Amino acid sequence: MKKTTPGRALENLFYLQYDLPPEASFHATTEEAKRPDELYMRKLLPELIRLKLQPRHIVANDEAYYAAMKGVMLFTPEAEKLMHRADYYSARRQIRLCAPDLKRRNEVKRPPRPALKFY
């Protein structure tokens, strides 16, 4: 979502949620784990295929924006209930055409990060 330019049409991207078994061996660097992107996903794909894992949930980019606008976390029961709202489809259509600026809203709702302590 951070890569999206407010006011421009959204790219056709998706958010995926996997349930990873304990035997999954993903060797990601700290930086990769902090900001998974397309290259990181390509690196994980062989392991996902080997384990025959399927995504548990797939959420379209516009649906993720709609949830963020409503202050709802993705992949939760509350997020699944959003599709019953009266403005759900019209708002998502508008978001696809012109992405809103959620930067301020996300900064306000983000919990403070814990301080790192070095011993």
Side-chain angles (χ1 to χ4, degrees):
M1 292 175 88
K2 291 178 182 178
K3 294 180 182 179
T4 303
T5 304
R8 288 194 180 171
L10 280 183
E11 292 184 47
N12 192 20
L13 300 174
F14 296 89
Y15 297 86
L16 306 172
Q17 180 186 34
Y18 285 89
D19 287 332
L20 301 177
E23 66 269 14
S25 59
F26 296 111
H27 304 289
T29 65
T30 305
E31 281 302 309
E32 287 175 328
K34 282 183 186 175
R35 52 174 183 77
D37 57 11
E38 186 179 346
L39 293 175
Y40 178 63
M41 288 307 295
R42 283 187 194 167
K43 184 178 176 179
L44 297 181
L45 192 57
E47 182 70 1
L48 294 173
I49 292 170
R50 184 184 74 76
L51 294 169
K52 298 178 181 167
L53 294 177
Q54 296 293 318
R56 182 172 162 202
H57 290 103
I58 301 173
V59 177
N61 207 10
D62 58 312
E63 189 175 357
Y65 262 83
Y66 181 79
M69 288 172 54
K70 300 299 179 186
V72 175
M73 187 80 152
L74 283 182
F75 309 121
T76 62
E78 293 80 20
E80 291 178 14
K81 294 176 187 172
L82 287 175
M83 67 185 315
H84 300 294
R85 296 179 61 103
D87 69 337
Y88 179 74
Y89 293 102
S90 61
R92 284 186 58 196
R93 188 176 316 110
Q94 181 60 38
I95 290 168
R96 280 192 298 274
L97 298 173
C98 180
D101 185 3
L102 298 178
K103 186 175 184 180
R104 288 189 189 128
R105 180 173 286 151
N106 287 338
E107 287 173 356
V108 172
K109 294 197 181 244
R110 185 180 302 144
R113 292 185 178 182
L116 294 176
K117 295 180 181 181
F118 297 99
Y119 297 97

